[in-house]
Amino acid sequence: VGETGGVVGAGDWQPVPLVTVRAPAQRRATTNAKRVEFAVTTETATYQVTTTLAQGDIATVYGGHTRGTQQPVAVKLADQSSDNDLMQHETRVLGLLLAAPDPTAIHFAPPRDQFRTADGRLGSVFDRLDGLDLTAIRDVFRGRGEPGLPARHVVWILRRALAALG
């Protein structure tokens, strides 16, 4: 409580108060541990977290909803406080990308909220964009007896990814 993080405003980092939340202690999720249960309460809203969506190198992404409205959200929580600068930079870059009028912005989840856990890790709350990762897409095609994604699908996916990055 009383520490600051930031969000992007007018192209610059703007300090905002961060609220200490109840979140799991330093714990690495695995692909087998899909079900979780914790709440993140900020000055803006309370987010009920119920599932593990992904585990990356610096953060875990959880799925849940906003209490009251049931709006789906993704909560990204740094695994270590030493990676807080990367979490802040991600929010800043997303803010800049979403500020420009561009149809490819639909490929980016807008940041909705930020928080700091009691052990000092930063977290971000995003609108949840549903979709499949490449492993799940590959598995769909393998389930149909194909060795992997057909080239035309790979090209389609890469064109959209490159358009978003461009």
Side-chain angles (χ1 to χ4, degrees), residues 77-159:
L77 182 59
D79 292 331
Q80 299 177 16
S81 61
S82 60
D83 292 321
N84 287 350
D85 60 329
L86 298 172
M87 296 286 289
Q88 289 175 332
H89 184 69
E90 176 187 44
T91 301
R92 181 179 165 274
V93 169
L94 279 171
L96 292 171
L97 288 171
L98 293 168
D102 187 341
T104 61
I106 64 169
H107 300 294
F108 299 107
R112 165 191 297 247
D113 211 344
Q114 291 181 300
F115 60 92
R116 183 181 306 270
T117 64
D119 63 356
R121 295 177 291 147
L122 287 184
S124 299
V125 180
F126 300 92
D127 288 341
R128 181 158 174 193
L129 300 178
D130 286 328
L132 300 173
D133 63 23
L134 291 176
T135 302
I137 293 170
R138 181 199 63 204
D139 292 345
V140 167
F141 282 93
R142 284 188 176 166
R144 296 178 185 169
E146 298 182 39
L149 275 69
R152 71 178 198 271
H153 292 303
V154 172
V155 169
W156 183 88
I157 292 167
L158 286 175
R159 287 179 73 184

Side-chain angles (χ1 to χ4, degrees), residues 7-14 92 96:
V7 295
V8 174
D12 293 318
W13 183 256
Q14 304 294 319
R92 181 179 165 274
L96 292 171

Side-chain angles (χ1 to χ4, degrees), residues 5 16 19 26 28 67 71 91 99 101 108 143 155:
V16 295
V19 177
Q26 179 88 3
R28 298 207 43 109
R67 280 194 190 157
Q71 185 171 2
T91 301
F108 299 107
V155 169

Side-chain angles (χ1 to χ4, degrees), residues 27-36 51-56 59-62 133 135-136 139:
R27 175 179 64 180
R28 298 207 43 109
T30 64
T31 54
N32 296 332
K34 291 285 188 188
R35 186 84 180 144
V36 296
T51 58
T52 302
L53 298 176
Q55 173 68 49
T60 302
V61 180
Y62 300 96
D133 63 23
T135 302
D139 292 345

